[in-house]
Amino acid sequence: MSDRELLVSGNWKMNQTHFEAIQFVQALAALLRARPLRTGRALSLHPPFTALRSVQTALESDAVPVALGAQNCHEADKGAFTGEVSAEMLAKLNVGFVIVGHSERRQLFGESDEQVRAKVDAVLRHKMTPILCVGETLDERQAGEARARVSAQLEAAVKGRSRAGVAELVIAYEPIWAIGTGETASADDAEEMAAHIRAELESLAGKDAAGAVRIQYGGSVNPDNAGELLRKPNVDGLLVGGASLKPDSLFEIAQAR
Ligand code: 13P
């Protein structure tokens, strides 16, 4: 075990109205009051943009020990980008974490490696923590190219950054074939790729920075498989989709060991 804090993040994707979000926070807050998070654990919630303000108010008014997160942002601070939301706007809502380069953004919305890098810049510029997503497709895995794909994504987003900038990142390894499919990478596969990611970060930014980065696993995480994943030495947290939509299931994942 390392001394890195474990971060469990609930990515709601395009789910939950702001009314549902408030009910969720109230239920989660009750669970956390009854059984506070273990020492060395942190939890973040990533609602859709329309629920951010409501979730922020619900968390802050009851001092619920959960960080506010977003799922995406635009790389520019402002401008003629109809329908987009900037990192600056998120920072003003006390957002702490922003998911960047999720595979759904890359695949369904055509986000390029260059754009992902610019989004990481924007998030850091506004003093928030990027959760940078990387991961291979099934074809890439079967062709033995998983590590190369992940290395290329990392390099595109990380190369040339200061050591301090790299140390602040959270990296989420999300193999695309495991997202929403019920098929989880084995804990050993997750650990192997997390160790590979850490080695790549070390070559890009040195041992200290690489040792500080938290590496999450994401893809069909549930209360039954969370403990085994979290026990792996290089897996420092989980990025949870479907199973984060119910307060009790997200809570059990955050408490798993
Ligand atoms: P699922 O947990 O639903 O597989 O989604 C994973 C994910 O994409 C989290 O960002």
Side-chain angles (χ1 to χ4, degrees):
M1 288 291 286
S2 76
D3 53 5
R4 290 180 292 271
E5 181 181 60
L6 299 184
L7 174 66
V8 172
S9 302
N11 174 12
W12 287 356
K13 308 191 178 182
M14 198 173 73
N15 293 288
Q16 319 265 48
T17 66
H18 79 283
F19 294 116
E20 291 163 337
I22 293 167
Q23 288 175 340
F24 181 107
V25 171
Q26 288 168 345
L28 181 64
L31 291 166
L32 288 167
R33 271 194 300 276
R35 185 150 60 100
L37 279 185
R38 298 176 191 291
T39 314
R41 298 269 172 125
L43 184 53
S44 66
L45 270 187
H46 300 250
F49 290 136
T50 47
L52 275 175
R53 178 71 167 142
S54 305
V55 170
Q56 179 217 5
T57 309
L59 292 175
E60 289 179 6
S61 62
D62 274 345
V64 184
V66 171
L68 185 61
Q71 302 174 15
N72 180 32
C73 68
H74 194 272
E75 56 271 33
D77 285 348
K78 48 174 62 86
F81 301 105
T82 301
E84 292 293 310
V85 170
S86 74
E88 182 177 18
M89 294 166 182
L90 297 175
K92 288 279 189 276
L93 283 172
N94 290 352
V95 165
F97 295 90
V98 184
I99 298 170
V100 174
H102 191 280
S103 60
E104 287 152 14
R105 301 291 324 166
R106 294 179 191 257
Q107 289 196 316
L108 305 174
F109 301 96
E111 279 187 16
S112 65
D113 279 346
E114 294 68 34
Q115 219 175 346
V116 169
R117 183 183 178 93
K119 290 183 181 206
V120 170
D121 291 341
V123 173
L124 289 172
R125 192 161 68 235
H126 292 285
K127 311 279 184 271
M128 299 177 290
T129 301
I131 299 181
L132 169 67
C133 299
V134 296
E136 80 285 359
T137 62
L138 185 57
D139 283 351
E140 287 163 343
R141 173 150 287 252
Q142 287 173 341
E145 291 165 2
R147 283 167 169 243
R149 180 74 196 113
V150 166
S151 298
Q153 289 173 328
L154 271 179
E155 197 169 306
V158 174
K159 196 172 182 177
R161 287 188 190 282
S162 70
R163 292 176 178 213
V166 173
E168 282 178 53
L169 301 175
V170 174
I171 309 285
Y173 168 55
E174 295 209 311
I176 292 167
W177 47 271
I179 295 177
T181 57
E183 195 171 329
T184 326
S186 71
D188 286 338
D189 284 346
E191 167 62 19
E192 192 190 320
M193 189 62 91
H196 170 69
I197 289 170
R198 205 172 303 283
E200 281 287 302
L201 291 171
E202 190 174 326
S203 72
L204 289 166
K207 199 173 175 58
D208 288 352
V213 170
R214 283 178 287 175
I215 302 175
Q216 297 178 314
Y217 166 79
S220 298
V221 172
N222 61 46
D224 293 330
N225 59 28
E228 191 184 2
L229 288 158
L230 286 174
R231 285 197 298 276
K232 293 294 178 188
N234 282 291
V235 176
D236 309 313
L238 302 166
L239 182 53
V240 188
S244 75
L245 294 171
K246 294 270 184 321
D248 51 348
S249 117
L250 180 61
F251 177 75
E252 290 307 332
I253 291 169
Q255 298 285 27
R257 62 173 181 179

